[in-house]
Amino acid sequence: MIGSANLNIMVKAARKAGRSLVKDFREVENLQVSMKGAGDFVSKADLAAEKFLKEELLGARPTYGWLAEEGGGIDGQDPTRRWIVDPLDGTTNFLHGLPHWAISIGLEHKGQVVAGVVYDAAKDEMFFAEKGAGAWMNDTRLRVSGRSRMIESIFATGLPFGGRADLPETLKDLGRLLPTCAGVRRWGAAALDMAYVAAGRYDGFWERRLQPWDLAAGIVIVREAGGLVQPLDERRDILDEGAVICANQAIFDPFAKVIRG
Ligand code: IPD
Ligand code: CA
Ligand code: CA
């Protein structure tokens, strides 16, 4: 793989963490039938993956800042650079033995994500991108889809669960979008949803109430694959806003019009 030293550090760390999570995932499949379930085991695997990634990434770049889902943030000596990490995106899938989850690592520089890695370890698909150097999945260059007709397009989203407050907005989105397109998918890992837009598997993706670690890596991967990524509310910063819309360039406007209402 040809990339910057930072990208190589990110890919190596994701691959190692992935190997260990795959072992845990096999164990989870065995735990499904137990009374206690796999919940505790999965939170331990999640925390262990984050600890490992922190040691690898901050070990290699000790002056950078850090933001991750489980352990929160640390200001770095270098205030311009920060790792943004979700050690396990798609936890609910992992817990239920569904092989659709990923490790997500973004590198932010002066408020912009400049490199991203999303590793689907169960399928050994490594999505990565660096600003100005294109987006890749393993050895294949990524390109967003060429579809320009809404009625032929498939979109992904996240559905609010467990009483989350954005249910009415999401139902409204679905009510407007479904009649215009070829389908909507909810596969349960936002970082992979974005990687799939970059790979042209989905034509677009939107979701509200995401966190920086869900989004960071995906932003640069979609952009480097030729797609558009915007905050749902254009006046806000995308990582602060946590509500995203992305798609190939041809479908972005009609899609955004439906979602933004
Ligand atoms: C979740 C997944 C899911 C999205 C949720 C996220 P987690 O992340 O990305 O697709 O709908 O909003 O919280 O909890 O599995 O890391
Ligand atoms: Ca996540
Ligand atoms: Ca997570």
Side-chain angles (χ1 to χ4, degrees):
M1 190 195 98
I2 302 161
S4 72
N6 275 337
L7 186 66
N8 279 287
I9 290 166
M10 294 158 80
V11 166
K12 222 172 91 199
R15 205 178 285 291
K16 277 205 218 162
R19 226 173 278 144
S20 149
L21 281 172
V22 164
K23 276 193 208 134
D24 294 332
F25 184 64
R26 289 205 194 103
E27 188 61 29
V28 167
E29 287 175 322
N30 297 329
L31 291 172
Q32 294 302 330
V33 289
S34 80
M35 283 294 279
K36 200 164 159 242
D40 285 355
F41 181 83
V42 172
S43 6
K44 278 191 198 130
D46 197 352
L47 286 170
E50 182 167 316
K51 183 168 173 278
F52 171 81
L53 290 166
K54 193 173 176 184
E55 280 163 13
E56 286 283 303
L57 297 168
L58 285 184
R61 295 287 182 259
T63 59
Y64 290 13
W66 174 261
L67 178 68
E69 177 161 23
E70 308 300 332
I74 302 172
D75 289 333
Q77 225 169 295
D78 175 353
T80 70
R81 291 186 173 83
R82 179 165 71 147
W83 299 118
I84 305 180
V85 172
D86 191 344
L88 176 56
D89 186 50
T91 328
T92 309
N93 286 342
F94 193 97
L95 180 64
H96 286 253
L98 294 165
H100 194 76
W101 46 270
I103 292 151
S104 174
I105 305 172
L107 174 61
E108 187 187 50
H109 183 215
K110 295 186 176 161
Q112 278 213 349
V113 189
V114 292
V117 166
V118 173
Y119 183 41
D120 179 340
K123 305 183 201 78
D124 194 22
E125 291 191 332
M126 178 76 71
F127 299 88
F128 59 94
E130 207 162 13
K131 206 166 166 224
W136 302 79
M137 192 274 282
N138 298 340
D139 296 328
T140 309
R141 182 94 191 237
L142 295 180
R143 196 68 215 153
V144 289
S145 77
R147 281 183 205 91
S148 56
R149 285 161 50 85
M150 285 294 285
I151 202 66
E152 290 166 1
S153 298
I154 284 193
F155 298 100
T157 191
L159 299 177
F161 48 85
R164 273 180 14 178
D166 48 330
L167 180 62
E169 291 156 296
T170 308
L171 292 178
K172 212 152 82 190
D173 292 343
L174 290 171
R176 280 199 305 259
L177 182 65
L178 280 166
T180 72
C181 72
V184 170
R185 301 287 182 267
R186 196 300 188 241
W187 281 16
L192 279 178
D193 289 336
M194 294 183 81
Y196 278 27
V197 172
R201 294 173 180 174
Y202 294 143
D203 303 293
F205 163 71
W206 87 104
E207 186 168 349
R208 295 188 170 76
R209 302 191 186 231
L210 289 169
Q211 299 296 329
W213 45 82
D214 299 315
L215 287 166
I219 292 173
V220 64
I221 296 174
V222 173
R223 286 187 176 147
E224 285 299 318
L228 289 173
V229 185
Q230 288 181 9
L232 218 55
D233 177 346
E234 282 174 280
R235 294 159 303 181
R236 305 269 318 265
D237 172 83
I238 193 158
L239 292 182
D240 290 343
E241 158 80 346
V244 70
I245 178 162
C246 66
N248 81 43
Q249 296 198 17
I251 212 73
F252 188 90
D253 282 347
F255 172 47
K257 205 168 157 206
V258 174
I259 298 300
R260 286 182 175 140

